[in-house]
Amino acid sequence: MRDDVHASSLHELADLIFAVSRQLRPPTDPAFEPCTPIEISVMRFINRNPGASARAAAEAVLLPSSNFSRVLRGLEKRGLVNRVIDDRNARGVRLYPTEKANQNLQCLRDHWDRTLRGIVDDPATIKIVNAALRRIEDELVARHSKDGSQPAF
């Protein structure tokens, strides 16, 4: 019985994460460059890991290299990513967010601040929820890395 309650709680957690993510709409500011969910994953990794290799980024977002290359070309064409030849490996590239990407991210953060402000204002609660979600993400990434599985999108 206890396992059923635990499983039910985990199902509700996953359901709520999905539902909340669907409610977070992109900014309507004309300066904001909207991205697809896959592009968001790639930009999120590059923003958090400037200078990462294309291979590391592709692995982190669970995309085969051919799909990753296509997404990357689109982001580069729209001025959100710079590819820089790796000094140590002429065949490799390092990925950096552009100034436009930084402005896009700031626009998104400002929008999310306005969207979420007043819903949960207790810093301790926010810290606990963020820590729990970060742990869930880290564990899921680690599991995908071990079993080589791809995301469902």
Side-chain angles (χ1 to χ4, degrees):
M1 181 70 171
R2 180 155 160 62
D3 286 343
D4 289 344
V5 171
H6 183 69
S8 178
S9 294
L10 290 175
H11 298 161
E12 183 178 15
L13 174 64
D15 180 63
L16 288 168
I17 290 170
F18 183 76
V20 168
S21 71
R22 298 280 298 157
Q23 294 299 318
L24 293 173
R25 305 279 187 216
T28 55
D29 183 327
F32 181 75
E33 180 77 38
C35 293
T36 66
I38 297 286
E39 291 171 333
I40 290 169
S41 293
V42 172
M43 287 307 305
R44 183 172 183 260
F45 181 82
I46 294 170
N47 280 318
R48 290 171 178 242
N49 303 279
S53 70
R55 170 179 241 157
E59 288 174 0
V61 299
L62 304 174
L63 282 176
S65 60
S66 59
N67 292 6
F68 181 80
S69 293
R70 188 175 62 250
V71 171
L72 189 58
R73 278 192 306 273
L75 291 169
E76 193 175 25
K77 184 177 179 181
R78 291 177 22 228
L80 296 170
V81 174
N82 280 332
R83 290 190 218 208
V84 176
I85 301 298
D86 189 337
D87 293 341
R88 292 173 274 161
N89 174 6
R91 290 181 18 215
V93 295
R94 297 286 171 180
L95 306 174
Y96 294 92
T98 63
E99 185 53 37
K100 181 178 180 181
N102 292 333
Q103 291 169 354
N104 221 37
L105 181 58
Q106 188 58 53
C107 183
L108 185 62
R109 286 179 174 170
D110 293 344
H111 174 72
W112 282 348
D113 182 56
R114 289 187 303 275
T115 300
L116 297 173
R117 187 165 296 281
I119 295 174
V120 179
D121 285 332
D122 175 35
T125 300
I126 294 168
K127 187 175 182 178
I128 289 168
V129 171
N130 286 347
L133 291 173
R134 194 172 301 109
R135 180 171 177 208
I136 290 168
E137 179 187 24
D138 290 347
E139 283 294 321
L140 289 173
V141 167
R143 288 179 184 182
H144 288 303
S145 294
K146 281 182 195 171
D147 67 20
S149 65
Q150 297 294 313
F153 49 80

